């Protein structure tokens, strides 16, 4: 499970340009040019660590001489006060890179932590957890990576994935069957066709029309269960859930194949981290 290095480099470049701009005036004024140090990134709450490759890219973008050491593996569990990484080298670039590196690490770890909690809620059921497409475009690549680190999958719909036929498409195409036929003709041969359906009648139309995935909208768990029985494995069934483990467990009991949480990346709270200057082994002893 890797990140596109070109995408990460561009993200880091833009983030540093916005945060640092023409230069870090405070650091240049206060910190001696020849000062060297070891700084430690420390977790401020329990969760899942995610974002080492991005944080490391930030520090190296500011100064390639900086040495970034992972103290907790990517995807590993952390608790309050646990050192997760150390950065050694010239002090000025460490301080200059601090805000961007820690901010991205916090966001990615927050998404991975929220994903892990939801994935654990349905791990004993057939359903797979999928994060929806509601992500910030500039941060999409790291948000989707964080979802995978947390144990979820990402929504396949989009320019390079499957085709999602929404309610508006159905109204203009003349119905579910007609929309599926049109999508099949216009899509690349390997594309999977997903259709939003809001009733059991539309479920039947979607199955008969040959849709690959039926996205159930506005249905209570009992109706979802009936839809599962109607489809009988002829199409995968997806239902939207909230970022609530209990709600996802209830949906998983219906037998659906996919549970999507569309706003997972938006609603996940950042996991707090801080940069501490000192020996990480000494920090461990203090905690």
């Amino acid at each position: 499970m890797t990140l596109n290095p070109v995408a990460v480099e561009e993200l880091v470049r833009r983030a540093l340009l916005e945060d640092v701009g023409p230069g870090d005036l405070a650091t240049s004024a206060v910190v001696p040019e020849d000062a060297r140090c070891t700084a430690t990134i420390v977790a401020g709450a329990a969760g899942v660590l995610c974002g080492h490759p991005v944080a490391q890219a930030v520090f190296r973008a500011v100064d390639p001489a900086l040495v970034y050491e992972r103290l907790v593996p990517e995807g590993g569990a952390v608790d309050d006060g646990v050192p997760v990484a150390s950065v050694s080298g010239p002090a000025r670039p460490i301080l200059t890179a601090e805000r961007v590196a820690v901010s991205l690490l916090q966001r990615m770890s927050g998404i991975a932590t929220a994903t892990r909690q939801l994935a654990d809620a349905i791990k004993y059921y057939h359903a797979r957890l999928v994060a929806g497409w509601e992500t910030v475009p500039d941060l999409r690549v790291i948000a989707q990576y964080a979802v995978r680190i947390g144990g979820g999958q990402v929504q396949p719909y989009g320019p390079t994935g499957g085709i999602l036929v929404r309610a508006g498409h159905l109204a203009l195409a003349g119905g579910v069957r007609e929309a599926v036929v049109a999508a099949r003709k216009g899509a690349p041969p390997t594309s999977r066709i997903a259709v939003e359906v809001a009733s059991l009648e539309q479920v039947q139309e979607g199955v008969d029309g040959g849709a690959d995935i039926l996205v159930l909208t506005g249905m209570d768990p009992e109706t979802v269960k009936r839809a599962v029985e109607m489809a009988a494995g002829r199409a995968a069934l997806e239902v939207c859930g909230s970022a609530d483990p209990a709600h996802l467990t209830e949906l998983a009991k219906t037998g659906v194949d996919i549970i999507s949480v569309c706003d997972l990346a938006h609603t996940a709270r950042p996991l707090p981290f801080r940069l501490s200057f000192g020996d990480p082994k000494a920090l461990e002893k203090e905690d």
Side-chain angles (χ1 to χ4, degrees):
M1 191 177 304
T2 60
L3 279 162
N4 183 328
V6 176
V8 171
E9 181 180 353
E10 179 59 21
L11 169 64
V12 168
R13 185 191 68 80
R14 291 197 306 270
L16 287 171
L17 180 63
E18 179 181 301
D19 187 73
V20 180
D24 186 348
L25 299 180
T27 296
S28 298
V30 175
V31 179
E33 186 175 1
D34 60 351
R36 299 180 66 85
C37 69
T38 294
T40 306
I41 301 176
V42 182
V48 176
L49 186 282
C50 177
H52 274 315
V54 177
Q56 182 173 357
V58 173
F59 285 109
R60 286 186 174 174
V62 177
D63 187 342
L66 295 179
V67 177
Y68 184 97
E69 181 183 359
R70 303 182 183 191
L71 304 178
V72 173
E74 188 82 337
V78 299
D79 209 340
D80 185 10
V82 171
V84 302
S86 68
V87 189
S88 303
R92 282 187 175 182
I94 291 177
L95 284 167
T96 298
E98 173 188 0
R99 282 193 302 268
V100 172
V102 172
S103 293
L104 292 174
L105 193 68
Q106 289 182 152
R107 178 162 182 80
M108 294 177 72
S109 296
I111 294 172
T113 299
T115 303
R116 182 71 57 81
Q117 291 172 344
L118 298 179
D120 284 349
I122 62 173
K123 64 181 179 181
Y124 297 116
Y125 297 93
H126 167 70
R128 294 174 292 141
L129 174 67
V130 172
W133 55 87
E134 292 183 14
T135 57
V136 178
D138 281 352
L139 301 179
R140 181 168 296 154
V141 63
I142 62 171
Q144 292 182 339
Y145 170 82
V147 165
R148 293 189 177 99
I149 289 295
Q153 299 179 23
V154 298
Q155 195 63 267
Y157 316 131
T160 59
I163 289 180
L164 175 61
V165 180
R166 302 189 301 275
H169 296 135
L170 298 181
L172 295 172
V176 174
R177 189 189 303 272
E178 292 80 3
V180 172
V181 171
R184 189 72 68 190
K185 287 181 179 179
T190 57
S191 293
R192 301 189 75 192
I193 308 299
V195 185
E196 288 186 351
V197 293
S199 67
L200 293 177
E201 290 75 16
Q202 287 189 327
V203 169
Q204 191 63 58
E205 289 180 39
V207 171
D208 293 341
D212 298 302
I213 304 172
L214 299 177
V215 183
L216 312 180
T217 62
M219 296 186 188
D220 58 46
E222 186 57 37
T223 306
V224 170
K225 187 175 181 179
R226 291 178 60 191
V228 170
E229 295 169 352
M230 288 177 62
R234 290 174 290 171
L237 296 189
E238 175 182 339
V239 64
C240 296
S242 65
D244 175 7
H247 183 223
L248 264 60
T249 300
E250 184 180 15
L251 292 175
K253 290 178 180 179
T254 65
V256 292
D257 304 286
I258 303 166
I259 301 178
S260 59
V261 181
C262 293
D263 59 350
L264 176 54
H266 284 325
T267 58
R269 299 180 60 183
L271 193 70
F273 291 93
R274 68 181 185 276
L275 196 67
S276 175
F277 291 87
D279 184 352
K281 293 182 179 179
L283 285 172
E284 288 179 332
K285 291 177 181 178
E286 290 176 8
D287 293 331

